[in-house]
Amino acid sequence: MTITGIAAIGAGLAAIGAGVGIGKIGGSAMEAMARQPEMHGKIQSSALILAAFVEAVALFGVVVAFLQG
Amino acid sequence: MFVNSYNVRTFAPNLKQGIFNPVRMRINTFKRVAFTILFLSVFSFGFANETKDGGDDEKFDPKEMILHHVKDAYGMQIATFNEGKDSEFHLTIPLPVITYTDKGLTVFSSSAFHHDYHGHEIVERNGQRFVNVHEKVYILDSGANQVTFDAEDHPTNAHRPKFDFSITRNVFMMWVSIAVLLLIFLSAARRYKKSENYVPSGIASFVEPLIVFVRDEIGKPMIGEHKYKRYMPYLLTIFFFIWINNIFGLIPILNGANLSGNIAFTFTLAAITFIITTLSGNKNYWKHIFWMPGVPVPMKIFLMPIEIIGMFVKPISLMIRLFANITAGHVIILALMSLIFVFKSYAIAPVSVAFSLFITVIEVIVTAIQAYIFTILSALYFGMATEEEH
């Protein structure tokens, strides 16, 4: 397997990790919003920020894969 | 710190009297932003997605086309007609190529390359011969009449000029977006100056909710009630600058003016955030980095390098997040469009157009979300730097 193929697998693994993370954030945010609809705005903005943090790690993976590929 | 978003005060500058005029407005800022985004998305679909056809005999290479669109270029190419025929015609805005070498400053129009970026067209200026190799200007070594490439497609007998100050399409689009922002905000300011009681009208009523949003949802909660005012000019600037550049990147007729998907651009913005954070750091901030309070001494020594690395990772993650999000969006849209040319079939076209429409709608939302996230994280870092001991 070439280094490009391994890099692609690495990017895929990073995407799986980020998917799990963002899924958990989204799920918990939905639950919280359903329980306390009046906090909708605050929960939404904190969920977006947290999703950005998780996503950044996946994007590091993508960038490394790009550099290798 | 709960911010009541239903009773907002206007953010009008106090030009005449020293009082704010509270205006009761029922706004759900997020809804307004979403509507604006939808309008803009409809606008940008008015133009067809311009995609390059490789001709009948030539095999279409989506990777080359996508990279060419995402990267910076020396001219603003808008469209190509009758490609591959004698009547081939390029609709382009030529931009100046400015280089500085030992022989001094050389300026010429990018149209001298005749849209060639494979190094075939040689332009002789000021005793030097320039070629355009994948949208990078190279100077041919003396004695060479043609560019030769090594196995990795790098020129072997040409070198980059010492300095390349060219007004590329990214620089050009940056100036356009600065002009548009100035137009919007100066006319909004004029509206406030004219109005009697600072009630927004015209373009000001479009800008005000956005500014109030940045102030009440980003500045105040992240930095704090007392200190946020110092940072508002910077936060507003990056929010609107990133947002408008993201939107410009999505307008197909501007042909991939991918400014916020350019790592140099995001690096500069992240560096400014880093400098402001570092300069406004108070005693408490530096204590948390070098000598973490409240933990045993071995732990303090262990945490110090981690905190120092963290100081630099924060702006780097800001840089990569914006760059990778915007570039990935462009790549996905272009890849979906190039499916038509890969399969060379009409049947695939509706599927491909539908999918790229779907992704474009998501991208239109992403433009605003990425601007928001860059701004809110910058504000968060400023808040961390100025936080008092508790």
Side-chain angles (χ1 to χ4, degrees):
Chain A
M1 197 187 289
T2 58
I3 190 84
T4 316
I6 298 169
I9 291 172
L13 288 175
I16 291 174
V20 172
I22 292 179
K24 280 191 87 84
I25 292 168
S28 314
M30 289 298 269
E31 266 177 33
M33 279 190 245
R35 209 174 294 137
Q36 281 176 297
E38 71 278 5
M39 294 295 281
H40 174 269
K42 287 200 95 175
I43 292 167
Q44 195 170 39
S45 58
S46 356
L48 274 179
I49 297 166
L50 289 172
F53 280 128
V54 173
E55 186 195 48
V57 183
L59 292 174
F60 284 146
V62 171
V63 169
V64 171
F66 256 124
L67 293 178
Q68 287 301 321
Chain B
M1 224 177 309
F2 181 69
V3 182
N4 184 2
S5 61
Y6 289 100
N7 188 1
V8 282
R9 284 159 175 270
T10 50
F11 196 73
N14 280 322
L15 299 165
K16 288 170 192 162
Q17 299 116 34
I19 31 161
F20 273 126
N21 278 282
V23 176
R24 284 188 69 88
M25 287 192 300
R26 280 186 149 282
I27 45 159
N28 186 334
T29 322
F30 208 82
K31 261 185 204 158
R32 275 208 185 181
V33 173
F35 267 117
T36 319
I37 290 161
L38 268 179
F39 272 122
L40 286 167
S41 74
V42 172
F43 166 71
S44 73
F45 291 136
F47 305 102
N49 232 332
E50 187 255 335
T51 316
K52 209 171 105 186
D53 188 359
D56 286 335
D57 45 346
E58 200 183 326
K59 201 169 174 293
F60 174 69
D61 181 8
K63 195 180 166 190
E64 201 215 316
M65 184 277 279
I66 289 169
L67 282 182
H68 182 64
H69 273 253
V70 167
K71 265 165 49 180
D72 203 0
Y74 284 106
M76 286 277 293
Q77 196 176 1
I78 290 168
T80 307
F81 304 103
N82 298 334
E83 189 167 336
K85 294 180 191 141
D86 288 338
S87 56
E88 185 175 292
F89 172 68
H90 297 271
L91 185 63
T92 320
I93 305 171
L95 297 168
V97 179
I98 306 165
T99 60
Y100 182 81
T101 52
D102 297 335
K103 290 183 178 169
L105 206 65
T106 315
V107 183
F108 59 95
S109 164
S110 71
S111 63
F113 287 124
H114 293 104
H115 313 286
D116 162 62
Y117 54 92
H118 298 293
H120 300 317
E121 192 81 27
I122 297 169
V123 180
E124 201 157 350
R125 290 283 190 292
N126 204 5
Q128 297 156 105
R129 282 167 304 159
F130 295 93
V131 286
N132 183 349
V133 181
H134 293 295
E135 296 299 348
K136 279 206 168 22
V137 156
Y138 281 84
I139 299 171
L140 276 179
D141 295 338
S142 54
N145 289 320
Q146 207 183 349
V147 197
T148 50
F149 298 98
D150 62 10
E152 269 145 26
D153 219 20
H154 295 303
T156 49
N157 58 352
H159 57 276
R160 293 277 288 146
K162 203 186 240 169
F163 295 106
D164 188 353
F165 302 118
S166 303
I167 312 298
T168 57
R169 70 174 174 198
N170 277 352
V171 180
F172 178 74
M173 276 321 293
M174 184 164 72
W175 289 351
V176 169
S177 61
I178 290 169
V180 171
L181 281 181
L182 280 178
L183 201 75
I184 292 172
F185 285 95
L186 288 179
S187 52
R190 211 173 299 123
R191 289 270 182 179
Y192 279 114
K193 241 180 201 168
K194 270 189 205 152
S195 69
E196 298 261 306
N197 45 4
Y198 302 127
V199 173
S201 63
I203 193 128
S205 56
F206 166 74
V207 171
E208 183 174 310
L210 294 169
I211 292 178
V212 169
F213 171 76
V214 173
R215 185 191 64 175
D216 286 352
E217 308 291 322
I218 297 176
K220 272 186 192 170
M222 293 295 148
I223 303 175
E225 208 63 58
H226 304 294
K227 298 187 197 106
Y228 77 94
K229 269 196 178 149
R230 264 182 83 189
Y231 299 99
M232 278 311 287
Y234 178 66
L235 295 179
L236 288 168
T237 308
I238 50 169
F239 179 75
F240 287 106
F241 193 49
I242 294 172
W243 193 19
I244 202 154
N245 278 312
N246 288 348
I247 290 170
F248 277 155
L250 277 186
I251 300 175
I253 201 131
L254 298 176
N255 196 1
N258 187 17
L259 182 58
S260 39
N262 183 314
I263 195 124
F265 174 79
T266 57
F267 168 79
T268 313
L269 293 180
I272 299 171
T273 296
F274 175 68
I275 291 168
I276 295 175
T277 314
T278 312
L279 290 184
S280 57
N282 58 10
K283 209 176 106 202
N284 191 32
Y285 172 71
W286 293 112
K287 202 162 95 189
H288 272 85
I289 287 176
F290 289 111
W291 209 244
M292 181 71 82
V295 292
V297 172
M299 202 62 191
K300 283 182 202 277
I301 294 163
F302 179 70
L303 277 177
M304 186 167 49
I306 296 175
E307 287 288 329
I308 291 171
I309 294 168
M311 218 170 92
F312 292 100
V313 165
K314 280 172 200 159
I316 289 172
S317 72
L318 272 185
M319 167 179 94
I320 290 180
R321 182 178 300 112
L322 183 59
F323 159 74
N325 263 295
I326 302 302
T327 307
H330 282 232
V331 169
I332 292 168
I333 293 170
L334 289 169
L336 284 169
M337 287 314 282
S338 57
L339 281 181
I340 303 169
F341 301 100
V342 170
F343 288 106
K344 287 203 167 89
S345 145
Y346 289 113
I348 207 89
V351 182
S352 153
V353 169
F355 267 102
S356 80
L357 189 83
F358 169 68
I359 296 289
T360 314
V361 172
I362 291 180
E363 279 306 306
V364 169
I365 299 165
V366 165
T367 58
I369 288 180
Q370 286 308 318
Y372 168 69
I373 282 175
F374 196 105
T375 317
I376 202 164
L377 288 179
S378 295
L380 193 74
Y381 300 153
F382 301 156
M384 282 157 91
T386 55
E387 202 177 16
E388 292 299 332
E389 212 163 348
H390 39 248

